């Protein structure tokens, strides 16, 4: 394959949509429920996401085993999601991200009795 002259750019809107989709995938919610913003971090991109998290219906959670089956506590899931979101967005966009900051802004109970874990 030959290299052609010119340049490629991924718009901020495209990066934002990708970040919303990656975050929604991790938390089992719709991309429209996720807010994403960007900041400069010493020449790299820092991603901030605000999202609800899908959780099982509360009356279906009787003990720690039910929390584990749902993917862990909200805190554990948010902590694990940082790396997964960073890898997904970086891998698909080619952008160099320095970090992902996650803010959980609510929960979305699922009707199936289990949160969607990805």
């Amino acid at each position: 394959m030959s290299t052609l002259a010119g340049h490629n750019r991924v718009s901020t809107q495209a990066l934002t949509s990708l970040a919303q989709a990656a975050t929604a995938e991790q938390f089992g919610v719709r991309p429209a429920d996720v807010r994403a913003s960007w900041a400069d971090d010493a020449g790299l991109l820092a991603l901030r996401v605000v999202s609800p998290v899908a959780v099982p219906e509360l009356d279906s959670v009787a003990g720690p085993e039910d929390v584990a089956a749902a993917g862990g506590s909200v805190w554990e899931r948010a902590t694990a999601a940082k790396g997964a979101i960073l890898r997904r967005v970086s891998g698909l966009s080619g952008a160099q991200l320095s970090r992902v900051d996650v803010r959980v802004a609510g929960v979305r109970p699922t009707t199936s009795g289990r949160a969607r874990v990805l």
Side-chain angles (χ1 to χ4, degrees), residues 14-62:
L15 284 173
T16 299
S17 296
L18 178 57
Q20 288 171 312
T23 302
E25 181 179 71
Q26 286 299 307
F27 291 134
V29 298
R30 299 175 311 137
D33 293 335
V34 178
R35 292 190 318 263
S37 61
W38 301 92
D40 182 285
D41 186 19
L44 299 175
L45 290 172
L47 171 60
R48 295 180 196 136
V49 292
V50 180
S51 178
V53 176
V55 297
E57 291 287 342
L58 297 181
D59 60 359
S60 71
V61 179

Side-chain angles (χ1 to χ4, degrees), residues 50-93:
V50 180
S51 178
V53 176
V55 297
E57 291 287 342
L58 297 181
D59 60 359
S60 71
V61 179
E65 64 281 350
D66 296 324
V67 173
S73 70
V74 171
W75 181 268
E76 292 166 335
R77 291 176 60 202
T79 300
K82 290 179 188 183
I85 294 166
L86 186 143
R87 286 186 300 277
R88 188 82 153 148
V89 173
S90 292
L92 290 172
S93 71

Side-chain angles (χ1 to χ4, degrees), residues 89-108:
V89 173
S90 292
L92 290 172
S93 71
Q96 296 291 315
L97 275 67
S98 61
R99 70 176 194 269
V100 175
D101 298 324
V102 173
R103 180 175 167 202
V104 175
V107 296
R108 298 281 191 273

Side-chain angles (χ1 to χ4, degrees), residues 1-14:
M1 176 152 69
S2 65
T3 303
L4 300 176
H7 62 273
N8 298 321
R9 291 188 185 165
V10 179
S11 73
T12 302
Q13 181 57 47

